[in-house]
Amino acid sequence: MSLTLNNKEIISTETGLHVSEIDLTNYIPNIPFELSQFIVDVGGYSPDEFHDEREIWIITSGSGQLTYKGVVCDLKAGQAVKFDPNEVHTIKNTGKQILSVISIWWKDK
């Protein structure tokens, strides 16, 4: 089974961020979470963001520097991080190749 990337792709040439939503609704009706893949170009970053959903990032390739709750840490392929609602988070690609991340988010019930 292959996944269909939704046509809702967001590209920011200013930050080097490329986001593609992954639509699983054809495979899992009433799915309780949303999913996207984002790529950060070498030297690029994701702008500061916060939202009322919980979120998990899974680093699938590359490396970067995460800032979350005022703490800076390094992340690399194979690692994951969880974000609480309404907490600012951002990542900068500090590596020598693209940084690829799977993002999963959901609202608490």
Side-chain angles (χ1 to χ4, degrees), residues 76-106:
K76 63 182 180 182
Q79 293 182 306
V81 63
K82 178 185 72 114
F83 304 111
D84 292 325
N86 300 308
E87 295 286 348
V88 176
H89 50 283
T90 183
I91 194 163
K92 178 179 171 96
N93 184 342
T94 56
K96 297 184 188 302
Q97 66 181 52
I98 64 166
L99 171 65
S100 180
V101 179
I102 297 293
S103 173
I104 305 164
W105 67 95
W106 66 95

Side-chain angles (χ1 to χ4, degrees), residues 12-79:
S12 173
T13 55
E14 180 180 313
T15 65
L17 177 67
H18 311 265
V19 181
S20 295
E21 291 184 15
I22 300 172
D23 184 359
L24 296 176
T25 56
N26 289 334
Y27 307 101
I28 307 170
N30 303 314
I31 192 166
F33 61 88
E34 295 185 62
L35 181 67
S36 69
Q37 175 186 29
F38 68 88
I39 294 172
V40 184
D41 295 333
V42 174
Y45 63 94
S46 65
D48 288 353
E49 72 166 356
F50 66 95
H51 37 73
D52 60 355
E53 297 92 2
R54 293 195 181 276
E55 185 174 19
I56 295 173
W57 284 356
I58 303 166
I59 312 302
T60 57
S61 69
S63 60
Q65 195 169 63
L66 171 74
T67 303
Y68 175 56
K69 292 187 177 182
V71 176
V72 178
C73 68
D74 293 326
L75 290 177
K76 63 182 180 182
Q79 293 182 306

